[in-house]
Amino acid sequence: MSLRPQELADAFAQAAAAAARFLDDARRAVVAKVDKDGKVPPEVLDREQRAVHGLAWIATVSEALTQAAAWAGRLQAQKRLGEAEALVLQIGFGEYLAQLAFGLPMSQSEIVRPVELGLEDAAGRLRQDRAVDRLLRTGNMAATRAALMERILAGDTIDEGVDDETLDMIRGQFRRFTTDRIVPGAHQWHLDNALIPDDIVGEMAELGVFGLSIDTTFGGLGLGKVAMCIVTEELSRGWIAAGSLGTRSEIAGELIGLAGTDAQKQQWLPRIASGEVLPTAVFTEPDIGSDLGHLATRAVRTSAGDWAVSGSKTWITHASRSDLMTMLVRTNPDDKGHGGLSMLLAPKPRGTEADPFPASGMEGSEIHVLGYRGMREYVLSFDGFTVPADGLLGNREGDGFKQLMRTFESARIQTAARAVGVARRAFELGFEYARNRKQFGRAIIAFPRVSDKLALMLADIVLARELTYFAAREKDKGRRCDVPAGMAKLLAARAAWSNADNSLQIHGGNGYALEYEISRVLCDARILNIFEGAGEIQAQVVGRGLIASRN
C-alpha cells in the first residue's frame, strides 16, 4: 500500500469510520431481535445470546480499529508514524476488517458471520468503502507481512510511547526490572510451583506497584489506570504472576478508597500502598462462579459485636500469604439476592509453608493448576471465623454487591493489560526461537508460515494494547466504562491465547517440553479468558450495554 504517512493515517481513520457504521447496522439488527415493545426481556436476551455476543465482538473489533486509527493519527501528528508502525497497522486493519466483513471468531470454533445477523447488505457496504477495499486487498497480505518482519529483523521496534514523559519513564523502569529480576527466574518458579520470592515482592513494593492507583494522601502514587496498565503489562511480560500480584491490592485499594469509612482508609490504604499488607479477594464460591447474587457464605453479628463467618469460598488467589481478605458475604439471609450481601474487611495472620492457614475458624486446601502459579489458588472453609466489628466496609450493610461492581471495570482493564504482556512475551519467545532455529539450511523465520504468524502476533498486540489504553483513559476520566473494559478484556485475552498457541507452534516439539518457557506462557495465557469474568460473561456485558444504549 504505497501511500505517504498522512495518507495512510487518513485511510485508517476512514476505514475505522466505515467499521463504526457497520457496528451501527449490527446494533439495529440485534435490537430488532430482542426488543419487545421497548423492553428487552431476560429470556429473549438469553435465547438470542449468540446474536448479542456477536454484536459484542463486532463492537470490540470496531472499537479496536477506531483506537488504532487514533494512535496512527497521533503518531503522524508527531512525525513518528514509521514504516514498522505503518506495516503493523495495515496488517491489523486488513485482518480485522476481513473478520467484520466475512466472519469474526468468538472462539476457535464459533464464527459469527454477517448472514446470521441479516447483515449481508451492511457487509457489502463495508467492503465497498474505498479505504476498506484497499486495506482488504493489500493490508494483511504476504508482501506486507514479509516487509514487517524484514523491518523487525533489521532492528526496528513498534512505537510504545503514550505521549506522557512520566508514563514512558515508568515503562522503561519496569521493563528493566522485569528483564533483570523476573524473566531469569520465572520459569523455574513456575515449574517448582513456588510463590513469588519475598525479595521480589519487596522490590515491587519499593517500586510502588501496590500503591499505583491509591491516592497520595494515603501513601500511594495516585497515577491512575493508564499507569496501572503499563506496569501490569511490563510485569506480565516476565510472568503473569508478577503482573497479577498487584490486582488484589488494586481491588482492595479501590474498594476501600471508594466505599470505606475515614477510619478504614487510614487503617488500610497506607499499608496496602507500601506492600506491608497483601490483600486477597474472597468472592467466588463453589458452584456459583459469576452468579454472585446467590452467594451463600454467611456472616452474623456475635454478642460481642464482631462478625462470625461460616461457609466456603473457592479460587482464592494468594490466600495463604495475604494479610487482609476483602470478603463478600451474606449478612441478611432473608434477602436472597444482591441486597443481602455485604463486604467485609477481614484481617488474617499471614501463613507459612508449614502452616498456611493459622487463623482460628479458617482452613484452606490448594487447587493445583496448569499455569498462573506463583500465588497459588485455594479453597477456603470458614466456621465461625471472626471479623472485627469495624470490618464492615463503609459501615454499610447490604451494599457489598454495589461496592464490588464499582471495582470490576478496573479489574477487567488490568486483566486486559496482563493479557497484552503475555501476548508480548509469546511474540518475543517465538521470534527468538524462529531466528535461531535452523532447518533445511536456514533459520525457520525465513519460511512464510512462520514469519506470517509473528507478523500477525504484532498486529494483535498493537490493537489489543490500544483498546486497553482507551478503556483505562475512559476510567481515568471518571466515565462509566464497563463496555470498554469488557471489550479490552475480550480482545486482549484472545490475542494472548492466539499468540501463545502460535508461538508454541513455531517452537514445534520443543514447545511442548516443560523446559521451554513457551510451555508456561501457553498455560498462563489460557486463564485470561476465564478469570475476572469469562469471555462469555464479557460478551454479555458488552452486548447488553450496547443494546441498552440503542437510543
Side-chain angles (χ1 to χ4, degrees), residues 447-462:
F447 295 100
R449 286 293 305 283
V450 173
S451 61
D452 281 355
K453 289 179 176 63
L454 293 165
L456 284 161
M457 285 186 207
L458 280 174
D460 272 340
I461 291 168
V462 167

Side-chain angles (χ1 to χ4, degrees), residues 213-227:
S213 301
I214 292 176
D215 193 274
T216 55
T217 304
F218 301 105
L221 299 179
L223 287 174
K225 305 307 179 186
V226 177

Side-chain angles (χ1 to χ4, degrees), residues 83-94:
E83 186 174 352
E85 290 80 20
L87 289 166
V88 82
L89 283 167
Q90 289 175 64
I91 294 166
F93 267 79

Side-chain angles (χ1 to χ4, degrees), residues 51-364:
V52 173
H53 291 195
L55 172 63
W57 271 102
I58 290 169
T60 296
V61 169
S62 173
E63 190 63 60
L65 292 174
T66 296
Q67 297 310 316
W71 178 64
R74 291 193 299 272
L75 290 179
Q76 173 53 24
Q78 299 169 34
K79 307 302 180 187
R80 287 163 44 202
L81 183 58
E83 186 174 352
E85 290 80 20
L87 289 166
V88 82
L89 283 167
Q90 289 175 64
I91 294 166
F93 267 79
E95 174 57 28
Y96 282 35
L97 289 168
Q99 290 181 13
L100 291 176
F102 301 108
L104 201 166
M106 299 191 293
S107 71
Q108 290 92 327
S109 60
E110 296 170 289
I111 312 297
V112 60
R113 296 181 174 87
V115 67
E116 290 185 76
L117 303 180
L119 293 173
E120 302 98 316
D121 291 343
R125 290 191 295 272
L126 175 66
R127 295 192 299 270
Q128 290 165 9
D129 179 272
R130 182 177 179 182
V132 171
D133 178 67
R134 189 164 190 173
L135 285 162
L136 286 173
R137 293 176 183 276
T138 64
N140 184 22
M141 292 293 155
T144 316
R145 296 189 295 268
L148 174 61
M149 294 316 300
E150 285 175 10
R151 299 309 317 153
I152 301 302
L153 281 166
D156 282 10
T157 57
I158 307 298
D159 195 296
E160 296 174 307
V162 292
D163 303 327
D164 184 301
E165 186 176 345
T166 298
L167 295 180
D168 289 340
M169 181 183 68
I170 288 172
R171 183 189 295 280
Q173 181 184 33
F174 277 91
R175 179 159 296 180
R176 290 189 296 273
F177 172 76
T178 296
T179 299
D180 294 342
R181 300 292 290 134
I182 304 295
V183 169
H187 194 55
Q188 192 59 50
W189 299 332
H190 161 83
L191 292 175
D192 294 342
N193 191 29
L195 291 169
I196 301 173
D198 284 328
D199 59 334
I200 298 294
V201 177
E203 291 176 48
M204 290 171 63
E206 290 176 5
L207 289 169
V209 170
F210 306 117
L212 281 170
S213 301
I214 292 176
D215 193 274
T216 55
T217 304
F218 301 105
L221 299 179
L223 287 174
K225 305 307 179 186
V226 177
M228 174 193 75
C229 285
I230 290 171
V231 170
T232 300
E233 179 185 334
E234 292 300 329
L235 290 171
S236 298
R237 183 183 66 85
W239 190 20
I240 193 175
S244 299
L245 186 58
T247 305
R248 274 129 289 282
S249 296
E250 183 74 26
I251 292 171
E254 192 159 26
L255 276 170
I256 298 168
L258 291 173
T261 64
D262 289 341
Q264 288 168 342
K265 293 175 185 178
Q266 292 290 346
Q267 178 182 6
W268 294 113
L269 291 181
R271 298 165 68 196
I272 292 171
S274 70
E276 175 191 348
V277 165
L278 297 177
T280 188
V282 183
F283 307 142
T284 305
E285 295 185 3
D287 300 321
I288 295 297
S290 297
D291 187 13
L292 293 177
H294 287 90
L295 289 181
T297 297
R298 288 285 313 282
V300 298
R301 285 284 193 184
T302 68
S303 58
D306 295 331
W307 296 93
V309 178
S310 298
S312 297
K313 297 287 186 177
T314 192
W315 293 110
I316 309 305
T317 304
H318 211 214
S320 174
R321 197 166 55 172
S322 61
D323 310 288
L324 174 69
M325 297 182 288
T326 52
M327 183 184 297
L328 191 64
V329 296
R330 187 167 299 281
T331 54
N332 182 0
D334 295 328
D335 187 334
K336 304 299 183 183
H338 297 146
L341 302 177
S342 299
M343 186 70 67
L344 298 181
L345 303 176
K348 60 174 280 294
R350 188 177 293 198
T352 64
E353 287 285 348
D355 188 5
F357 296 101
S360 177
M362 175 183 181
E363 295 182 353

